Amino acid sequence: MDYISTRGSAPAVGAAEAILTGLAPDGGLYVPASLPGVDFASLRGCTYPQIAFAVLRGFLPEYEDDFLQGILAQTYGDAFGGKAGHLVQLDEDLFSLELWHGPTCAFKDYALQLLPRLIAQARRFRGEVDTTRILVATSGDTGTAALNGFADREGTDICVFYPVDGTSEIQRLQMVTQEGGNINVFAVRGNFDDAQRGVKAAFSDAGLARNLAGQGVRLSSANSINWGRLVPQIVYYATSYLHLWEQGILRYGDKLDFCVPTGNFGDILAGYYAKALGLPIGRLLCASNKNNVLADFLETGRYSAKRSFFKTSSPSMDILVSSNLERLLYHAAGSHEAVCGWMAQLAETGEYTVDAHTLSAIRATFRAGWADENAVYDEIRHMHNQYGYLCDPHTAVAFRVWQQQPGHATRPTVVLSTASPFKFPGHVLSALGRPIPKNEFDALRALEDHSGVAAPASLAGLAQKPVRFNATLLPEDIPAITLTL
Ligand SMILES: *Cc1c(COP(=O)(O)O)cnc(C)c1O
């Protein structure tokens, strides 16, 4: 199967090449040129790795079946404690898909535990002898999940840059205590955008690329524009549907809705591909926090990043330019020229408006809503009082947006729960009206005591792990430091 760029002026490539390069050379994103068929109804009773294999094999034809089956069993077995795709019923028609039972307690583990294995094999296909050096700018979850996924993977090393005051203490400790001989972590003075700018400068520095090549190093990216980040996320939409069918909650063919807390539009776009493959999905509900640029776009067709940026309790959704939306625009409009036009307008003026045909193609599947900070805290409290269910602020955004939809309780819906509540114990305690201890580990224990739920061991144990990385640098030092690792 070929992958083509959304912008239409880069050569088509195979899956392995798309995964190894990340961004297409014309600045677009790789999308599959056609979609493989998946017979979902035949997968009743299958395990998570088996369903993953049925979904992924058509998208990754160069990867041999044995190899794929092997890495899928390794990835979604022990590392997820037998809880890959774990679904919890809260009400007759309401389910929470808990995607945080992986090693770093956020949904990004689904892709970032698999991606290093796909990259390692892509290197073999290409006969790559150079080291693949992964650079990541992160506001928290991506860096943590990427470090864990790439630690001690042959042929690769990874360097993560996080804003010095931009992450929670737990997220910071997850990064700076990560073990592995091929990893590096730096705090960057400034905010996430400063760190991101430094990393982008490294990627676009031709002199640096030459120097790195002299050392046998080639840079690559693990952020969510990489097709290898997106494709593993299709699987849990399918496992959710099949599970509800097996439980007799659905008959095969009944429509199932999903509500997704959204930032860069990768997770929800995987649901769009699941539907395009033939899974009986009804609506995909895109949930935003106070940074509601996507909610406005999906309602009106006008995308405007010219607005204030808010720091919220759901930091992984604090984003004004959602990169993966470009893929949806391409599929909905069916035109490279249209996508190039909108992306050029976005770069020049900070906004664009799609035509009526494209908007109605999008709205055939998508609905949207958003929740401000009061509503999020309210919802954390409501979920706890009503269902005895503890949820993190990202997940609470989604529950709230689901509640706001007219007729929401009449359609079975799966809400994607993207992070463990114990990653954000201060916000959760505060929403529940409890005092917040200063130290985050005291907060974690207070939340355990209050809720009667045990925190994931990988978070509770962080306080005892030695800190390995404590260097801080300026954003402009990022390109140079990538040479000296
Ligand atoms: C990354 C992240 C999101 C947003 O996912 P996108 O694919 O960027 O839309 C939501 N919640 C959590 C906890 C995340 O880490």
Side-chain angles (χ1 to χ4, degrees), residues 124-445:
R124 270 174 230 128
F125 292 149
R126 195 199 251 181
E128 181 74 284
V129 288
D130 286 354
T131 299
T132 304
R133 178 161 296 162
I134 311 284
L135 301 187
V136 179
T138 182
S139 58
D141 283 346
T142 303
T144 307
L147 285 166
N148 191 288
F150 280 96
D152 288 331
R153 296 264 164 220
E154 214 186 309
T156 60
D157 56 30
I158 173 164
C159 192
V160 167
F161 303 94
Y162 68 91
V164 72
D165 293 318
T167 69
S168 77
E169 181 62 1
I170 287 183
Q171 287 175 317
R172 187 184 73 85
L173 286 173
Q174 282 184 299
M175 290 187 271
V176 299
T177 62
Q178 173 67 47
E179 287 149 28
N182 63 338
I183 71 173
N184 263 290
V185 182
F186 294 96
V188 177
R189 284 200 202 291
N191 59 26
F192 169 68
D193 289 324
D194 298 319
Q196 170 113 304
R197 204 165 29 249
V199 167
K200 282 190 174 155
F203 277 118
S204 57
D205 184 333
L208 177 70
R210 266 193 310 278
N211 284 333
L212 286 167
Q215 297 183 5
V217 174
R218 218 196 272 237
L219 296 183
S220 185
S221 155
N223 71 18
S224 79
I225 47 129
N226 191 316
W227 178 253
R229 283 277 310 268
L230 211 138
V231 70
Q233 298 169 1
I234 298 172
V235 178
Y236 42 71
Y237 288 88
T239 59
S240 299
Y241 191 96
L242 290 164
H243 180 82
L244 296 185
W245 177 33
E246 284 157 21
Q247 300 294 307
I249 289 159
L250 294 173
R251 281 164 310 177
Y252 193 84
D254 289 352
K255 296 282 193 268
L256 179 62
D257 290 356
F258 289 86
C259 179
V260 188
T262 297
N264 220 6
F265 211 74
D267 205 8
I268 195 167
L269 189 66
Y272 174 81
Y273 282 111
K275 184 173 179 177
L277 291 176
L279 191 70
I281 290 177
R283 285 187 190 143
L284 294 170
L285 185 52
C286 174
S288 300
N289 66 22
K290 198 175 174 192
N291 295 293
N292 56 0
V293 56
L294 282 168
D296 284 352
F297 171 71
L298 293 169
E299 291 301 315
T300 66
R302 178 164 177 271
Y303 194 101
S304 176
K306 289 200 295 192
R307 58 178 74 210
S308 308
F309 175 85
F310 299 105
K311 266 183 89 132
T312 73
S313 57
S314 44
S316 296
M317 298 157 68
D318 290 345
I319 191 157
L320 292 183
V321 177
S322 287
S323 317
N324 276 294
L325 188 63
E326 181 170 341
R327 287 190 163 107
L328 177 64
L329 292 176
Y330 171 71
H331 292 301
S335 151
H336 297 297
E337 291 70 33
V339 172
C340 290
W342 295 323
M343 291 303 112
Q345 281 174 34
L346 181 66
E348 279 156 33
T349 68
E351 57 189 19
Y352 60 87
T353 302
V354 299
D355 57 276
H357 161 82
T358 301
L359 181 61
S360 82
I362 290 173
R363 286 187 55 86
T365 297
F366 289 90
R367 291 290 183 277
W370 64 281
D372 68 16
E373 289 294 89
N374 282 336
V376 171
Y377 271 43
D378 238 35
E379 192 62 29
I380 292 174
R381 193 163 51 245
H382 169 74
M383 291 307 294
H384 192 250
N385 293 344
Q386 175 95 6
Y387 302 112
Y389 192 68
L390 213 53
C391 69
D392 96 292
H394 302 76
T395 307
V397 168
F399 279 121
R400 185 60 162 217
V401 166
W402 171 75
Q403 290 242 355
Q404 291 165 355
Q405 289 294 302
H408 62 271
T410 61
R411 308 162 62 94
T413 301
V414 172
V415 169
L416 272 60
S417 176
T418 48
S420 161
F422 289 98
K423 274 189 117 160
F424 306 94
H427 287 300
V428 178
L429 277 174
S430 165
L432 297 178
R434 308 295 302 172
I436 317 172
K438 265 215 181 65
N439 176 298
E440 248 190 11
F441 291 97
D442 294 338
L444 185 139
R445 276 181 290 273

